[in-house]
Amino acid sequence: MIISLPAELAAEISAKRVNYAGPEAAVVPPHITLVSGKASDSWDEAASYVREVAAAGEPFTLSLRGTGTFEPVSPVVYLNVESGAEECARLHEALLQGPVEHLLEFDFHPHLTIAHDLDAGAMEAATHEMADFAAEFQVTSIGLFDFIAGGWALREELELGGSGQA
């Protein structure tokens, strides 16, 4: 489950990521991961639960401000989620109360990755060039993805506080 970015902001950040990592960085659109995992049991049960969490949620403002890193634990440079971090954490926790497994080995920390596992020069460039970056947008939905045919694919975009697809 992820939070997608508005198209214009996603294009801007994608261009930066390609600048640091090359064209392969454009394969995964910029996003904020809420849960990286899988259904504990059945896809239908998990998807139904995610729909319930989204319907019970409320739209919120999310701001991205400056850079951070998970180094030396993990070679990642990211944009900080400033306002909206608590809402992301609440959604993360709510999603994990149902038939969904979070498969990452690290604690949840809302962020938007801009550079991952690159050489030191690219990581440093990403950290410094994006240090003054700031953007704000309304989060009105979450994306439900599934691993299909060897890749992640959006199955549904779910409105927060709504009862259907965005």
Side-chain angles (χ1 to χ4, degrees):
M1 283 56 69
I2 68 159
I3 295 172
S4 298
L5 278 59
E8 192 172 303
L9 179 59
E12 178 184 356
I13 293 173
S14 285
K16 293 289 189 183
R17 288 168 43 166
V18 166
N19 187 43
Y20 304 127
E24 61 276 1
V27 172
V28 177
H31 63 278
I32 297 159
T33 301
L34 294 172
V35 173
S36 182
K38 64 177 187 162
S40 302
D41 192 18
S42 98
W43 167 262
D44 290 336
E45 286 178 21
S48 178
Y49 181 75
V50 173
R51 288 183 201 106
E52 290 174 22
V53 170
E58 293 293 329
F60 60 95
T61 300
L62 189 141
S63 64
L64 299 168
R65 301 245 187 280
T67 56
T69 183
F70 293 128
E71 292 179 315
V73 176
S74 180
V76 173
V77 175
Y78 58 84
L79 292 174
N80 295 304
V81 172
E82 191 173 73
S83 70
E86 289 179 21
E87 290 86 344
C88 290
R90 277 197 291 275
L91 283 168
H92 171 80
E93 290 301 322
L95 289 164
L96 294 183
Q97 299 305 308
V100 176
E101 293 180 41
H102 189 59
L103 299 178
L104 294 181
E105 59 189 273
F106 305 109
D107 290 338
F108 178 70
H109 177 82
H111 68 281
L112 192 152
T113 299
I114 54 172
H116 179 257
D117 204 19
L118 302 176
D119 65 69
M123 297 290 275
E124 187 173 323
T127 300
H128 295 294
E129 290 175 16
M130 299 294 286
D132 294 328
F133 183 87
E136 186 173 279
F137 62 96
Q138 277 296 114
V139 175
T140 59
S141 63
I142 59 175
L144 175 59
F145 279 71
D146 193 8
F147 197 74
I148 301 170
W152 290 102
L154 179 66
R155 291 280 297 257
E156 295 180 59
E157 190 70 29
L158 304 165
E159 286 184 35
L160 293 176
S163 59
Q165 295 180 330

